[in-house]
Amino acid sequence: AQSVTQLGSHVSVSEGALVLLRCNYSSSVPPYLFWYVQYPNQGLQLLLKYTTGATLVKGINGFEAEFKKSETSFHLTKPSAHMSDAAEYFCAVSDHNFGNEKLTFGTGTRLTIIP
Amino acid sequence: GAVVSQHPSRVICKSGTSVKIECRSLDFQATTMFWYRQFPKKSLMLMATSNEGSKATYEQGVEKDKFLINHASLTLSTLTVTSAHPEDSSFYICSARDRQGAREKLFFGSGTQLSVL
């Protein structure tokens, strides 16, 4: 079984400040890890994903995340927040058994940017 | 890039009526589509996995007769909420898997906000 825990349902940062959204996962097999962003009344857009290889993954809009197996974490960061980053962010995990890659999502973190 | 179209984006219906939500992959063939439900301030919960030409696989606790899924073609899956009740009000999102060539990606629709009066 897999699970995802996102610490902090709401995070507020000032424009230009560092963004850090936390995600810890539990998986019985080596996981695939994802971060998605959801803008109001829209579907999810993939920010980045980790499958294998380099543990520091760069995504769109200046976001990146680092897979730390020892800490079972996949925290999302961005050096400098923009107003347009305000949205809901979801961390997700899947196993990668071929043909059975179902995503398990965390409960989400709402990011607010303070002008 | 690949796009998944979900329609309608918003629907309001009376209790007891049925509502159909469509999910289309516009520029790729999707042998597998997923249907999620999202409650306010909650995460997405997978309802079912839809495979083209076969019966959908439902997650535990999801009523098959309540949420009918049809995946009749490689580009279209539909979710029908039958005899809808206020507790069915939710945000429903579909996703479609693109496995063409060397890429494999999962694309999400923009969601459908269902309100049952």
Side-chain angles (χ1 to χ4, degrees):
Chain A
Q2 298 172 306
S3 66
V4 175
T5 301
Q6 289 183 242
L7 296 177
S9 59
H10 290 85
V11 171
S12 295
V13 302
S14 298
E15 189 175 15
L18 171 71
V19 175
L20 171 60
L21 304 182
R22 300 178 185 275
C23 173
N24 289 87
Y25 70 91
S26 173
S27 177
S28 58
V29 298
Y32 283 1
L33 295 160
F34 307 80
W35 275 100
Y36 284 88
V37 60
Q38 183 182 30
Y39 297 100
N41 300 317
Q42 294 187 27
L44 276 69
Q45 180 181 3
L46 180 66
L47 277 177
L48 48 81
K49 68 176 180 181
Y50 167 80
T51 54
T52 59
T55 57
L56 181 62
V57 180
K58 295 185 183 298
I60 63 172
N61 301 339
F63 285 93
E64 62 182 35
E66 185 172 9
F67 170 59
K68 292 186 177 181
K69 183 178 179 180
S70 61
E71 299 177 7
T72 61
S73 69
F74 191 57
H75 301 331
L76 181 71
T77 61
K78 181 174 180 178
S80 177
H82 294 170
M83 295 301 295
S84 60
D85 295 327
E88 188 92 18
Y89 291 80
F90 291 95
C91 181
V93 63
S94 78
D95 60 39
H96 47 88
N97 294 322
F98 183 78
N100 191 33
E101 301 94 335
K102 294 188 295 187
L103 289 173
T104 299
F105 287 87
T107 52
T109 298
R110 180 169 298 279
L111 177 64
T112 299
I113 309 300
I114 303 168
Chain B
V3 175
V4 172
S5 173
Q6 188 172 340
H7 179 79
S9 59
R10 183 179 296 272
V11 58
I12 301 172
C13 69
K14 293 182 179 180
S15 184
T17 61
S18 294
V19 175
K20 179 183 285 187
I21 303 169
E22 294 187 347
C23 182
R24 294 180 183 272
S25 57
L26 297 184
D27 60 357
F28 66 96
Q29 294 182 333
T31 55
T32 303
M33 290 186 175
F34 302 90
W35 286 96
Y36 293 85
R37 182 175 180 177
Q38 185 179 26
F39 294 96
K41 300 182 180 181
K42 297 286 187 180
S43 184
L44 284 78
M45 293 180 57
L46 180 63
M47 298 173 65
T49 302
S50 169
N51 295 297
E52 186 269 336
S54 64
K55 292 183 178 180
T57 303
Y58 289 82
E59 296 300 302
Q60 190 173 8
V62 178
E63 298 177 59
K64 300 178 182 181
D65 295 333
K66 176 75 172 177
F67 299 99
L68 299 178
I69 292 173
N70 184 284
H71 195 158
S73 77
L74 288 171
T75 59
L76 174 64
S77 177
T78 61
L79 168 67
T80 301
V81 183
T82 62
S83 187
H85 291 285
E87 57 265 30
D88 298 325
S89 298
S90 190
F91 193 59
Y92 294 86
I93 303 177
C94 71
S95 65
R97 177 183 293 147
D98 179 4
R99 279 188 168 154
Q100 292 180 3
R103 70 175 184 179
E104 178 175 335
K105 292 185 177 180
L106 191 66
F107 296 94
F108 284 81
S110 56
T112 297
Q113 182 65 54
L114 171 63
S115 299
V116 185
L117 304 178

